[in-house]
Amino acid sequence: MENGFGSIAWVLYLPIIGFLIQAFFGKKVVDSMGIAAGRRVMGTLAVLPIALGFVIGLMLVLKLSAMEPAARSVVVPLFNWIDVMGLRLPFELIVDPLSMTMVLIITGIGALIHLYATGYMAEEPDYPRFFTYLNLFIASMLILVLGNNLALLFIGWEGVGVCSYLLIGFWYKDLANSKAANKAFIVNRIGDWGLTLGLFLIVALLTTSPSLVKADRYLSYDQMLPALQIALAHNHGLATAIALLLFVGACGKSAQFPLYLWLPDAMAGPTPVSALIHAATMVTSGVVLLNRMHIVFEMSPTASAIVAVIGAFTALFAALVAFGQTDIKKVLAYSTVSQLGFMFVACGAGGYWAGMFHVTTHAFFKALLFLGSGAVIHAMAHNQDMRNYGNLSKYLKITCWSMVIGWLAISGVYMFSGFYSKEAIIGTALANTHANIEGYQLGQYSGWTALFVAFLTAMYMTRMMVLTFFSGEERWRLIPAKAHADDHGHGTDIAHGNHLEAVHEHGHDHGPDVHGFFYTDEELHAMEHGDHDDHAHHELDETHQPHEVPPSMWFPLVCLAALSLFGGYFMSHNEVFRDWLYPEGKLPILGVVSAEAEHIPLVLYSSIAAFGGLIIGGLWYMRGLPKAEGWDESKWNPFRKLAGRQFGFDAAMVTTTVDGGAELGRGLWQGFDVKIVDGIVNGSAGLASYLGKGISWFQTGYIRMYALMMLFGGAGILGWFLYAMKHGGVR
Amino acid sequence: MLGVPLVAYLSLGLFMFSVGVVGVVVRRNPIVIFMCIELMLNSVNLTFLTFARFHSSVNPQTGLAAPSMMAGQMMVIFVMAVAAAEVAVGLGIIMAIFRLRHTVDIDEMNLLKG
Amino acid sequence: MGIVSVVTFLPMIGALLLMLVPEKQVKFVRAGALFTAVITFAASLFLLRNFSSNTFHFQMAEVLPWIPKWGINYRVGVDGISLWLILLSTFLMVIAIAFSYYVDKRVKSYMVLLLLLETAMLGVFVSMDMILFYTFFEFSLIPMWLLISAWGGERRMYAGLKFFIYTFAGSIFMLIGMIFLGYQYSTITGHYSFNIVDIQAAVANGSFWASAISLQPWVFWSFAIAFMVKCPVFPFHTWLPDAHVEAPTAGSVILAGILLKMGTYGFLRFCLPLFPETLPAQVPIIMMLAVVGIIYGAVVAAVQPDLKKLIAYSSVAHMGFILLGIFSLTHIGLMGGAMQQLNHGISTGALFLLVGLIYERRHTRQFKDFGGLKAQMPIFAALFLLIMLSSVGLPGTNGFIGEFMAMMGAFEASYRGSFGLTMAIPVIAGFGVVLAAVYLLYMFQQVFYGPNTNPENKRLKDLKPWEIGLVCSLLVFVFWGGLYPSTFLKPMESSIQAARLMAINPAGQRPSWEDDTQAIDLDGTVGDKGSLIAGQKIIAPGNLHLTEKLEPVGGTTLHAQRETGAR
């Protein structure tokens, strides 16, 4: 069955091995080899497994593409995971075009970002911990895409969630970061709720259909998908239910409205994390899920319409919010949310391959933009506010020009990769009538919305680029004094001051430390603190001189720029990408979804959108930072103020759920548990003791009283006995 | 032996028991109370023996009471054993209390008060 | 003396020997107790070795007469339902006693009580006789009560008494129910028997309840109340937070790890197989309480200011999942519930252990006293994180397997509409999983993240090697259970399936308890290795679903009617 595809397991094992090495030996190696050399070794050991995985993946892709299109699906079994009567969930990997596409993205871009991170995180004291998480993330993501059943997908799904949680909260000393991490995990869990219920619904459906029960390992895709097709053929309501539940899961992971809330906050993590997890790979797993389960969606036009509408709305909403952001990473975060919306528009319209196409190109240019922004942030003393940038093209040449390519790609300029995928999406949405509810062509409306959002995208990306790299003035030399106060780096400053004196004053007051739980004063003195706190960076001020980043950081930028420039053209040439993912006959229900809307000159429209956005944006910001977007936020116009706050949506959600939930919890605890249940319990105990108190009056404690009472009792019994005998009561 | 009438035995038992009861109720020294309890137990023993003797039939061949008729005598042995155990425990408790409070006056002790 | 009795009474023998040791020999007492626990654990491994997964009958059974006139005997044995709980008990006891190195107040009494508690717990799990079961069930209260009341925190007297009286009051009903069962057995056969197997056999052929069908719900609830208090199920849970907060660490570990499992074990052992006719009517009530417990426990846990209290309330939620699985009466759900019993024992036991480790250092459990410990104690933080994630139910850890399977079972039962369950049950229960992340992540954040500002915390050393070893030994099972759960699932499967068939099949088609050669085939089809009752096939849906019910034929009609009638 393997046909020589067994080596796919190594793609998965390598990052796991890397993870274990980092976790168990990382700290020791760094400590024993010296900081610089140790970090270099561990950095190499972190990049290597991913790069090797990419090579193996590439070989397997070549092998796979040599096969017949219809036979391109190989299952590699590893071991039995869950195996009880009636449910067998083996741990097996699937090698097919969809999974291999994602494998290449994950390992390829993953390796580049790992390489970048060795430079970006070079000053980080917790270096091995970072790569531990990052390697674990790659492993989880690979399980997600390679797993051959939904339960395995769910392992990866939650695994990447945890890694994301850990990496967002990487700089844990700032409580805001860990709050963002919690938010990400919890909001994702809401999505997971939908995903599990969808999974259960599939199980319940398949197992109650008499013809299908005997199937072994029926949750594996190769058995489940055909079975589903039969089972759902006459049950559109159920198809809609399953599709929507799965889509809830996708919404969580892929940050669609209203579950997008976590993604902007997730920018608290280090920038390579934002690039890898929150732009290129993890957030696209929702699209992967929809591609994997496309049969279900194809059977439900209603669900498809909802997917498309949510996608379009998210795209629009996030694009608008992006205008109100001043943090360079936040702009990119909202643009990611918006681009993910595009992908869902495609999936809703039935063009699943177009969604995946955009996943791929988006991985190129968004990773590029994030890494570029990381380089800028690195050069600007970890200040992320675009209002403090300007004219950086003079200092950061390589970063600037590679980012320019990313900018043109995301804007959808002709010949750049973003153009092809966006055109495929909008074309698919406009050309097809799959996504409709009772005849309302919601899919097509979504397509038009997407076209408009493409225009907005070009505009806000121009805003970001121009404010950062061009527009004459070097604004970090002009920051008003007040704005300095809001500067935020990692916020580690509070924790960095190790107030030894305070320790001396207070000490611990729990008596002698018999078990050796605490450091003594001498030990505290002997410990060197330099190792922990070498992260001090100087403030951004007038004298700051930005420098170009080291090669380990700009090399990935250049690679990604090349991909952003040419990738789209090569993949759309002769429909290579579509035929690879969905060869003829592999779209069982919808048939071939056309990507060219007739009578609509799409190239013209999207070019107008792209260039319109570029030109308007360019004109607007070329002269420098407008007053209405300046440091003083009270002078902003109402639209930007609202956009800056996500139109109040985030705050409303937090108030209702978090605060409301806490109120509810406290109410239940103090009201129900303590008052009612314990009230009854303690009340009955109180009643008993009240009765006991009354009776205890007899209990004087004097022995003679007891003796006397015994006497009376004995006499009483005897008396009754005599009385009864006399009256014949006894016998 | 059978010359002594049944009522004499029972009267003696009743007298001893009454003395015991009065002693337990009025005396304050626990040792004396113990002695009184002992007196009561012995009065009961006496009664047991009396009834056992007066109600048992004698095997004409051996001149002994039938084993099945020995219940009263058995009971006496049992009571004596229990009494001995009781005294042992009781005196132990009294010793412990004396160590703790340096008095054994019964009226000073009301630990059992509810 | 067979192996089962040896395992059960080894700790008691150890305890008796320890009583002879002078109080002052603290080191010897500790070593002796640990030695006893380890030996017991090793002995219990022999149970595992001798255990056969192919039969649902009790194995390694031993009988000694106790009160034969009333059909009460010392009768012990092991089956798939109890096997892992026995091993969990002996294993957690090793951990608990090892941790108790930190107890320095009245060490001898403490260790003796722990060992006595172990015998009591093991006795509960091995008993095949109801009165013996009851004896051990109540006996386990006494050492635990003393542990809480003597070595506990500030409100220990209140908590100990509440624990004792609450559970005691609940189990009184169970005793009445047991006596009724023994009496009922005598009315149909002419002699008393409190042997579980006898009664199951009589229930299986339908003769048992024939003359007392109207009493069945009452007897069911007399058992259920006892186990619901023990579990605890909402709204009988209020003793748990108090007991946990006040108990010493080893007590908390045992309480969460094993004592609570007595409740779920009781459900599996008594409530499922013995009351088949009334079960469909009672399932919705218990399922509803389970769901309420899941949400309630989670919501209340989220606002607790104290580590132990938070974990205690999380136990209420987790036990809800176990019940959800068990009372779905689907095979997968039952397996999930049974698996979740073990997982909860491991994960929550480990969480209490970790809290105990930090409590020994700082003598506080309030969140406000902590913060930023991750930098100070990185190993501790990493271990805590892993255990916490297992409690959250992260795939790849054991917590996921149980929760997932239990939920799947509940979903399936609701989807089929059996017992009148609605889809609301799994849908709402699913939110419990979300909330689990809320309160556990909140806990982790409060303790480990943020700046380390409290000067007291700045002197803390990381865990010592033996403490790390202690936690890691639990961690092994976290991942073992998550990555290769078959080790744990396989031995349980036959017995669980038998209990389930007792519950859902009509009389005459239930497993035969007289014939111990009969087995349920693991392949999925119908097992008839031995002779079956009246030559009929057991409706043993190998697949977790009642496929046969869809096409009622011949002997299965009754069953189908019950299934659909309940809708």
Side-chain angles (χ1 to χ4, degrees), chain C residues 96-108:
Chain C
I97 288 186
F99 174 84
S100 301
Y101 169 73
Y102 286 131
V103 173
D104 41 16
K105 194 171 73 166
R106 281 178 281 171
V107 181
K108 188 171 101 175

PDB file of all heavy atoms in Angstrom, chain C residues 96-108:
ATOM      1  N   ALA C  96       1.485   9.007  46.459  1.00  0.00           N
ATOM      2  CA  ALA C  96       1.007   9.768  47.612  1.00  0.00           C
ATOM      3  C   ALA C  96       1.932   9.564  48.805  1.00  0.00           C
ATOM      4  O   ALA C  96       2.277  10.513  49.510  1.00  0.00           O
ATOM      5  CB  ALA C  96      -0.413   9.353  47.960  1.00  0.00           C
ATOM      6  N   ILE C  97       2.341   8.329  49.009  1.00  0.00           N
ATOM      7  CA  ILE C  97       3.199   8.069  50.170  1.00  0.00           C
ATOM      8  C   ILE C  97       4.584   8.664  49.966  1.00  0.00           C
ATOM      9  O   ILE C  97       5.178   9.226  50.887  1.00  0.00           O
ATOM     10  CB  ILE C  97       3.257   6.551  50.456  1.00  0.00           C
ATOM     11  CG1 ILE C  97       1.902   6.137  51.019  1.00  0.00           C
ATOM     12  CG2 ILE C  97       4.371   6.219  51.410  1.00  0.00           C
ATOM     13  CD1 ILE C  97       1.821   4.727  51.474  1.00  0.00           C
ATOM     14  N   ALA C  98       5.060   8.588  48.728  1.00  0.00           N
ATOM     15  CA  ALA C  98       6.366   9.189  48.467  1.00  0.00           C
ATOM     16  C   ALA C  98       6.310  10.684  48.727  1.00  0.00           C
ATOM     17  O   ALA C  98       7.202  11.256  49.349  1.00  0.00           O
ATOM     18  CB  ALA C  98       6.792   8.919  47.033  1.00  0.00           C
ATOM     19  N   PHE C  99       5.232  11.315  48.280  1.00  0.00           N
ATOM     20  CA  PHE C  99       5.133  12.749  48.514  1.00  0.00           C
ATOM     21  C   PHE C  99       5.070  13.047  50.000  1.00  0.00           C
ATOM     22  O   PHE C  99       5.551  14.084  50.460  1.00  0.00           O
ATOM     23  CB  PHE C  99       3.888  13.321  47.827  1.00  0.00           C
ATOM     24  CG  PHE C  99       3.678  14.767  48.159  1.00  0.00           C
ATOM     25  CD1 PHE C  99       4.341  15.732  47.450  1.00  0.00           C
ATOM     26  CD2 PHE C  99       2.876  15.146  49.218  1.00  0.00           C
ATOM     27  CE1 PHE C  99       4.204  17.059  47.783  1.00  0.00           C
ATOM     28  CE2 PHE C  99       2.731  16.466  49.554  1.00  0.00           C
ATOM     29  CZ  PHE C  99       3.397  17.433  48.831  1.00  0.00           C
ATOM     30  N   SER C 100       4.493  12.142  50.765  1.00  0.00           N
ATOM     31  CA  SER C 100       4.270  12.401  52.186  1.00  0.00           C
ATOM     32  C   SER C 100       5.566  12.481  52.974  1.00  0.00           C
ATOM     33  O   SER C 100       5.537  12.608  54.188  1.00  0.00           O
ATOM     34  CB  SER C 100       3.362  11.333  52.784  1.00  0.00           C
ATOM     35  OG  SER C 100       2.149  11.341  52.095  1.00  0.00           O
ATOM     36  N   TYR C 101       6.659  12.408  52.272  1.00  0.00           N
ATOM     37  CA  TYR C 101       7.949  12.723  52.884  1.00  0.00           C
ATOM     38  C   TYR C 101       7.865  14.072  53.586  1.00  0.00           C
ATOM     39  O   TYR C 101       8.534  14.314  54.581  1.00  0.00           O
ATOM     40  CB  TYR C 101       9.003  12.744  51.790  1.00  0.00           C
ATOM     41  CG  TYR C 101      10.334  13.293  52.207  1.00  0.00           C
ATOM     42  CD1 TYR C 101      11.173  12.555  53.027  1.00  0.00           C
ATOM     43  CD2 TYR C 101      10.752  14.541  51.774  1.00  0.00           C
ATOM     44  CE1 TYR C 101      12.397  13.063  53.411  1.00  0.00           C
ATOM     45  CE2 TYR C 101      11.969  15.054  52.143  1.00  0.00           C
ATOM     46  CZ  TYR C 101      12.784  14.317  52.972  1.00  0.00           C
ATOM     47  OH  TYR C 101      13.985  14.811  53.356  1.00  0.00           O
ATOM     48  N   TYR C 102       7.037  14.969  53.041  1.00  0.00           N
ATOM     49  CA  TYR C 102       6.970  16.319  53.607  1.00  0.00           C
ATOM     50  C   TYR C 102       6.091  16.419  54.840  1.00  0.00           C
ATOM     51  O   TYR C 102       6.035  17.452  55.472  1.00  0.00           O
ATOM     52  CB  TYR C 102       6.467  17.301  52.546  1.00  0.00           C
ATOM     53  CG  TYR C 102       7.507  17.599  51.504  1.00  0.00           C
ATOM     54  CD1 TYR C 102       7.221  17.530  50.158  1.00  0.00           C
ATOM     55  CD2 TYR C 102       8.797  17.945  51.900  1.00  0.00           C
ATOM     56  CE1 TYR C 102       8.190  17.792  49.222  1.00  0.00           C
ATOM     57  CE2 TYR C 102       9.769  18.206  50.972  1.00  0.00           C
ATOM     58  CZ  TYR C 102       9.462  18.130  49.628  1.00  0.00           C
ATOM     59  OH  TYR C 102      10.418  18.388  48.699  1.00  0.00           O
ATOM     60  N   VAL C 103       5.375  15.338  55.161  1.00  0.00           N
ATOM     61  CA  VAL C 103       4.557  15.391  56.372  1.00  0.00           C
ATOM     62  C   VAL C 103       5.473  15.165  57.568  1.00  0.00           C
ATOM     63  O   VAL C 103       6.259  14.227  57.583  1.00  0.00           O
ATOM     64  CB  VAL C 103       3.483  14.301  56.327  1.00  0.00           C
ATOM     65  CG1 VAL C 103       2.750  14.231  57.649  1.00  0.00           C
ATOM     66  CG2 VAL C 103       2.533  14.579  55.203  1.00  0.00           C
ATOM     67  N   ASP C 104       5.404  16.052  58.544  1.00  0.00           N
ATOM     68  CA  ASP C 104       6.282  15.833  59.691  1.00  0.00           C
ATOM     69  C   ASP C 104       5.506  15.845  60.997  1.00  0.00           C
ATOM     70  O   ASP C 104       6.080  15.837  62.060  1.00  0.00           O
ATOM     71  CB  ASP C 104       7.412  16.871  59.724  1.00  0.00           C
ATOM     72  CG  ASP C 104       6.907  18.233  59.370  1.00  0.00           C
ATOM     73  OD1 ASP C 104       5.675  18.420  59.408  1.00  0.00           O
ATOM     74  OD2 ASP C 104       7.723  19.111  59.055  1.00  0.00           O
ATOM     75  N   LYS C 105       4.187  15.815  60.897  1.00  0.00           N
ATOM     76  CA  LYS C 105       3.370  15.826  62.101  1.00  0.00           C
ATOM     77  C   LYS C 105       2.744  14.438  62.259  1.00  0.00           C
ATOM     78  O   LYS C 105       2.100  13.945  61.340  1.00  0.00           O
ATOM     79  CB  LYS C 105       2.275  16.879  61.919  1.00  0.00           C
ATOM     80  CG  LYS C 105       1.549  17.249  63.168  1.00  0.00           C
ATOM     81  CD  LYS C 105       0.634  18.453  62.925  1.00  0.00           C
ATOM     82  CE  LYS C 105      -0.575  18.101  62.107  1.00  0.00           C
ATOM     83  NZ  LYS C 105      -1.630  19.118  62.105  1.00  0.00           N
ATOM     84  N   ARG C 106       2.987  13.768  63.355  1.00  0.00           N
ATOM     85  CA  ARG C 106       2.407  12.438  63.613  1.00  0.00           C
ATOM     86  C   ARG C 106       2.538  11.521  62.389  1.00  0.00           C
ATOM     87  O   ARG C 106       1.561  11.036  61.847  1.00  0.00           O
ATOM     88  CB  ARG C 106       0.954  12.579  64.022  1.00  0.00           C
ATOM     89  CG  ARG C 106       0.828  12.996  65.477  1.00  0.00           C
ATOM     90  CD  ARG C 106      -0.608  13.179  65.873  1.00  0.00           C
ATOM     91  NE  ARG C 106      -1.106  14.455  65.416  1.00  0.00           N
ATOM     92  CZ  ARG C 106      -2.381  14.823  65.462  1.00  0.00           C
ATOM     93  NH1 ARG C 106      -3.268  13.994  65.913  1.00  0.00           N
ATOM     94  NH2 ARG C 106      -2.752  16.012  65.046  1.00  0.00           N
ATOM     95  N   VAL C 107       3.760  11.324  61.985  1.00  0.00           N
ATOM     96  CA  VAL C 107       4.017  10.607  60.740  1.00  0.00           C
ATOM     97  C   VAL C 107       3.472   9.196  60.774  1.00  0.00           C
ATOM     98  O   VAL C 107       2.879   8.718  59.815  1.00  0.00           O
ATOM     99  CB  VAL C 107       5.535  10.568  60.464  1.00  0.00           C
ATOM    100  CG1 VAL C 107       5.812   9.841  59.175  1.00  0.00           C
ATOM    101  CG2 VAL C 107       6.079  11.970  60.418  1.00  0.00           C
ATOM    102  N   LYS C 108       3.633   8.523  61.924  1.00  0.00           N
ATOM    103  CA  LYS C 108       3.259   7.118  61.969  1.00  0.00           C
ATOM    104  C   LYS C 108       1.761   6.950  61.718  1.00  0.00           C
ATOM    105  O   LYS C 108       1.343   6.173  60.857  1.00  0.00           O
ATOM    106  CB  LYS C 108       3.645   6.524  63.328  1.00  0.00           C
ATOM    107  CG  LYS C 108       3.451   5.029  63.366  1.00  0.00           C
ATOM    108  CD  LYS C 108       4.019   4.428  64.610  1.00  0.00           C
ATOM    109  CE  LYS C 108       2.911   4.152  65.600  1.00  0.00           C
ATOM    110  NZ  LYS C 108       3.395   3.460  66.791  1.00  0.00           N
TER     111      LYS C 108
END
